[in-house]
Amino acid sequence: MWGQERIALYNETKRHYNRSESEEEEEEEEVTRENGHDKQVIRRDISISAMGSLKMPSQRPEYDITNLKKEFHVSDVMYFSKCGVEAIIEDDVTQCFTAEELKSWNFLTRTTLGYQFISMRLTILWCLGCFVRYFILLPFRTLVLCTGLSWLIISTAVLGYLPESNLKKRLNQKASLMSHRLLARACSAVLTFHNRENIAKNGICVANHTSPIDVIILSCDGCYAMVGQAHNGFLGIVQRALSRATSHIWFERSEVRDRHLVARRLKEHVDNEDKLPILIFPEGTCINNTSVVMFKKGSFEVGSTIYPVAIKYDPRFGDAFWDSSKMGMLSHIFQILTSWALVADVWYLPPMMKNETEDAVNFANRVKKEIARRGGLVDLEWDGQLKRTKVKDAYKLKPQEEFSKLLKVD
């Protein structure tokens, strides 16, 4: 907090000599947003006069479509153009895939406004923090990380030669917990697990997704079967080693697109109570620890019982979000290893049952809403694949229909 106060004092002194009256108003709005009172980028007028003579139903109870037709002017088109520009600037989809904004400086970045000089004392503190993170913590964490990965591969490979029995399951559980806890120590993870009586023993476990580290976090407290695409290289070696010790589901690239094959293999795994619970991230992509986007319905079509888990990271000690469009896996791991710590809370929610009159989509939305509520996240309806693909026509038609109801006259 001392560093943040120094930055604020520096900015205040700079504003006193260099800004005009209009710039002062913009700075006041920025400070208000940083304090959490207003998260909008654009300041909007309270009145509806910005849209000309067009009146919205919520502003005028005696509204009817005939009056709208008489009052409409060509200039009212500018209101809808303004709404479109505001939607582009403040869209909550893009905000889900960018690093979370912090209210205070955590000494990880040079300053909150970029690499600029504030004071000599603050610069010395930042340099000391870099020395501790890169020259003391990083080598030690790298050694622990290599030890954990080696133990994971060797132990699972050795267990693969044992016959199927309860002894093999117990040994695999102990080896898995030990290796994943070593990997968590490599990130200086400080984990708090809530309501552990609700932890999944079998079936399907779903959770919100911030980073591949989520798997390590959850595996520190229980064993899970993984579902994913088969890979080559080092990741393929890890997958094959894990499959020798217990049942995991790896799909080839051509099989992933076959929904029936995926559903059948998941169903076979879920129906076998002797197998580990399947850990699935229904969002299909990583979100920046502030929101939960649409859950894919596939995992909710397989089983009628779902074990939800909510994960929330504390961004003050490090950013756990993996932006796969800007950094690779190694860069993300390096970012985690050079942060202060990985602090997270995990809530095991009570199992949720699918109602008889409920389809897979509604069931997925109900589970998503509960995870968002417990984790203090924003519940959004957007498809996470908007991060990589174009917007579907159905999403474009919906706002067009809403606008047409205001303007179209039969």
Side-chain angles (χ1 to χ4, degrees):
M1 292 303 296
W2 179 85
Q4 187 69 15
E5 292 175 358
R6 295 292 300 176
I7 295 174
L9 180 61
Y10 171 83
N11 292 333
E12 182 65 27
T13 305
K14 185 177 180 180
R15 289 197 299 267
H16 180 72
Y17 291 101
N18 298 325
R19 68 183 181 181
S20 62
E21 183 177 353
S22 60
E23 291 174 338
E24 290 179 1
E25 295 177 356
E26 294 177 358
E27 288 293 331
E28 290 175 359
E29 292 174 6
E30 181 179 353
V31 172
T32 302
R33 289 193 299 270
E34 290 178 354
N35 291 334
H37 301 300
D38 183 11
K39 296 183 180 179
Q40 294 179 340
V41 178
I42 301 172
R43 185 180 67 177
R44 294 177 172 82
D45 296 333
I46 299 177
S47 64
I48 200 67
S49 59
M51 63 180 298
S53 58
L54 184 60
K55 303 295 190 297
M56 303 296 288
S58 59
Q59 272 73 33
R60 192 178 62 180
E62 63 274 16
Y63 166 85
D64 61 71
I65 198 68
T66 57
N67 291 336
L68 175 62
K69 182 179 179 181
K70 294 177 182 178
E71 296 179 0
F72 178 76
H73 298 283
V74 177
S75 61
D76 294 330
V77 176
M78 297 304 299
Y79 170 75
F80 297 104
S81 300
K82 176 176 176 288
C83 291
V85 174
E86 290 174 351
I88 294 174
I89 297 175
E90 294 185 339
D91 69 301
D92 47 12
V93 179
T94 304
Q95 294 177 7
C96 292
F97 305 129
T98 56
E100 182 180 2
E101 293 291 338
L102 295 180
K103 298 180 181 179
S104 60
W105 183 40
N106 58 1
F107 285 88
L108 291 178
T109 56
R110 180 62 182 87
T111 65
T112 53
L113 300 178
Y115 288 83
Q116 60 176 328
F117 178 80
I118 302 297
S119 68
M120 182 58 66
R121 186 183 303 179
L122 200 61
T123 301
I124 294 175
L125 287 176
W126 178 76
C127 292
L128 289 176
C130 287
F131 178 80
V132 171
R133 290 188 290 114
Y134 285 90
F135 296 97
I136 298 179
L137 295 180
L138 180 59
F140 177 75
R141 290 172 175 174
T142 303
L143 177 61
V144 177
L145 176 65
C146 295
T147 304
L149 287 175
S150 301
W151 173 255
L152 177 65
I153 296 175
I154 295 174
S155 61
T156 51
V158 172
L159 289 174
Y161 293 99
L162 298 179
E164 294 295 333
S165 61
N166 292 330
L167 176 61
K168 180 179 179 180
K169 294 180 181 179
R170 291 195 297 269
L171 292 177
N172 174 67
Q173 182 179 9
K174 293 183 179 298
S176 176
L177 290 174
M178 183 181 299
S179 58
H180 285 99
R181 287 171 181 174
L182 281 173
L183 296 176
R185 294 294 183 272
C187 305
S188 298
V190 181
L191 310 177
T192 305
F193 297 96
H194 307 271
N195 308 116
R196 299 180 65 181
E197 66 275 7
N198 297 325
I199 190 171
K201 299 298 189 297
N202 50 47
I204 297 178
C205 176
V206 299
N208 59 299
H209 199 25
T210 305
S211 164
I213 306 296
D214 297 338
V215 178
I216 298 177
I217 298 300
L218 294 178
S219 297
C220 288
D221 197 42
C223 293
Y224 297 92
M226 306 301 172
V227 179
Q229 181 177 311
H231 293 272
N232 297 320
F234 177 75
L235 191 56
I237 296 175
V238 176
Q239 288 180 333
R240 289 190 291 271
L242 292 174
S243 298
R244 294 191 186 99
T246 188
S247 297
H248 296 276
I249 303 177
W250 310 120
F251 296 98
E252 298 296 336
R253 186 178 298 274
S254 58
E255 297 176 341
V256 174
R257 300 178 181 178
D258 190 346
R259 293 184 56 189
H260 298 287
L261 175 62
V262 174
R264 180 173 58 81
R265 293 185 61 180
L266 290 177
K267 183 67 175 177
E268 292 175 354
H269 187 104
V270 172
D271 291 341
N272 190 342
E273 296 183 356
D274 294 332
K275 293 186 177 181
L276 296 174
I278 301 178
L279 178 60
I280 299 178
F281 301 102
E283 292 170 297
T285 187
C286 295
I287 312 299
N288 69 346
N289 194 42
T290 63
S291 310
V292 181
V293 299
M294 184 182 72
F295 279 7
K296 302 298 179 61
K297 66 177 182 179
S299 56
F300 298 88
E301 294 176 332
V302 176
S304 58
T305 303
I306 298 293
Y307 295 86
V309 177
I311 307 174
K312 178 65 176 179
Y313 293 93
D314 191 337
R316 294 176 298 176
F317 302 93
D319 187 11
F321 170 56
W322 180 38
D323 190 351
S324 57
S325 61
K326 295 183 179 180
M327 66 175 67
M329 175 61 72
L330 292 179
S331 299
H332 176 61
I333 294 176
F334 181 79
Q335 175 184 336
I336 296 295
L337 295 180
T338 55
S339 62
W340 294 115
L342 197 66
V343 182
D345 285 274
V346 179
W347 291 273
Y348 296 109
L349 280 65
M352 302 181 66
M353 305 289 293
K354 182 179 179 182
N355 299 328
E356 296 181 356
T357 59
E358 194 175 35
D359 58 8
V361 175
N362 293 330
F363 184 34
N365 290 333
R366 184 161 60 91
V367 174
K368 175 172 68 75
K369 182 178 181 180
E370 188 64 21
I371 290 177
R373 182 195 65 81
R374 193 64 189 88
L377 306 169
V378 180
D379 185 8
L380 299 177
E381 298 180 357
W382 299 107
D383 186 354
Q385 294 305 316
L386 290 174
K387 179 179 181 180
R388 300 179 178 87
T389 60
K390 295 182 178 180
V391 180
K392 297 180 181 179
D393 293 336
Y395 293 150
K396 298 179 182 179
L397 292 175
K398 185 176 180 180
Q400 292 175 0
E401 292 177 357
E402 294 178 354
F403 286 139
S404 66
K405 293 177 182 179
L406 295 175
L407 301 176
K408 184 171 64 176
V409 180
D410 296 330

